């Protein structure tokens, strides 16, 4: 079975490094499925899940946007924050979700709704990945 090397990297360091058979990401332009030998490309990502297919199992990594760089034999994902599913703290994500929802409901003049919306999306993404609802 052909494989492609995948690295997920953040400013805090590497988060994921493995050979996989397929990697799927949520690009700004839509879902992208990358197989070994893919033509080179770079694409911006949405907040979402990276799915990494290895044999019969699929691993999930939460990413908070960033970029994917594809080469025929390796894929690099650069994100401001990323967590493998097993490292997601569900309580923290729930608390973050509630905080963002409270902010969005306040609707005060100084509330940065775009920032709160992004925080909410990150929290929901982490919760969905942790609960395997992706
Ligand atoms: P919070 O409000 O909980 O800080 P956030 O979405 O604002 O959430 P980020 O700024 O995206 O957090 O991430 C800051 C750092 O904390 C990153 O290193 C990220 O991987 C980590 N992190 C954030 N939320 C979680 C979580 N629920 N579980 C594990 N790590 C997390």
């Amino acid at each position: 079975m052909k494989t492609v090397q995948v690295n997920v990297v953040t400013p805090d360091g590497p988060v994921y490094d493995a050979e996989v058979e397929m990697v799927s990401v949520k690009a700004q332009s839509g879902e992208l499925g990358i197989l070994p030998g893919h033509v080179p490309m770079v694409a911006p990502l949405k907040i979402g899940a990276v799915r990494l297919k290895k044999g019969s199992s699929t691993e999930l990594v939460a990413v908070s946007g960033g970029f994917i760089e594809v080469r025929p034999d390796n894929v690099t994902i650069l994100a401001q924050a990323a967590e493998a599913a097993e490292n997601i703290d569900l309580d923290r994500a729930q608390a973050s979700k509630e905080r963002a929802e409270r902010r969005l409901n306040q609707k005060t003049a100084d509330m940065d709704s775009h920032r709160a919306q992004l925080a909410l999306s990150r929290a929901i993404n982490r919760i969905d990945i942790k609960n395997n609802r992706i």
Side-chain angles (χ1 to χ4, degrees), residues 4 14 20 27 32-33 35 40 42-44 47 50 54-55 62-63 69 83 85 90 93 97 110 122-123 127 132:
V4 57
V20 307
L32 281 180
L35 293 168
V42 172
I47 294 168
V50 176
K54 276 175 156 181
V63 293
E69 181 187 25
E83 307 85 39
L90 192 55
K97 175 173 179 275
D110 63 343
R122 289 194 300 273
I127 292 165
N132 229 326

Side-chain angles (χ1 to χ4, degrees), residues 12 64 80-83 87-90 92-93 96 99 119 122-123 126:
D12 298 330
S64 301
Q80 191 58 42
E83 307 85 39
N87 294 329
I88 293 173
D89 178 338
L90 192 55
R92 176 174 169 176
S96 187
R99 201 163 49 241
R122 289 194 300 273
R126 288 173 176 130

Side-chain angles (χ1 to χ4, degrees), residues 20-56:
V20 307
E21 287 148 25
M22 181 171 166
V23 52
S24 308
V25 295
K26 207 170 157 190
Q28 299 276 358
S29 55
E31 283 285 332
L32 281 180
I34 315 282
L35 293 168
H38 196 284
V39 290
M41 61 161 220
V42 172
L45 299 179
K46 290 186 177 173
I47 294 168
V50 176
R51 293 162 189 270
L52 301 130
K53 190 175 177 307
K54 276 175 156 181
S56 57

Side-chain angles (χ1 to χ4, degrees), residues 15 48-49 60-63 82-94 122-132 134:
V15 167
L60 295 175
V61 175
V63 293
E83 307 85 39
E86 65 267 24
N87 294 329
I88 293 173
D89 178 338
L90 192 55
D91 289 344
R92 176 174 169 176
Q94 291 283 9
R122 289 194 300 273
I124 291 171
N125 185 45
R126 288 173 176 130
I127 292 165
D128 286 349
I129 288 174
K130 190 70 180 179
N131 290 334
N132 229 326
I134 293 283

Side-chain angles (χ1 to χ4, degrees), residues 65-117:
F67 288 88
I68 183 168
E69 181 187 25
V70 179
R71 294 168 192 250
D73 56 2
N74 67 68
V75 169
T76 305
I77 292 167
L78 297 166
Q80 191 58 42
E83 307 85 39
E86 65 267 24
N87 294 329
I88 293 173
D89 178 338
L90 192 55
D91 289 344
R92 176 174 169 176
Q94 291 283 9
S96 187
K97 175 173 179 275
E98 282 160 25
R99 201 163 49 241
E101 284 170 340
R102 262 199 315 276
R103 286 203 180 114
L104 286 166
N105 285 331
Q106 278 169 358
K107 292 193 174 74
T108 55
D110 63 343
M111 201 269 296
D112 183 343
S113 66
H114 181 65
R115 186 173 162 191
Q117 194 61 58

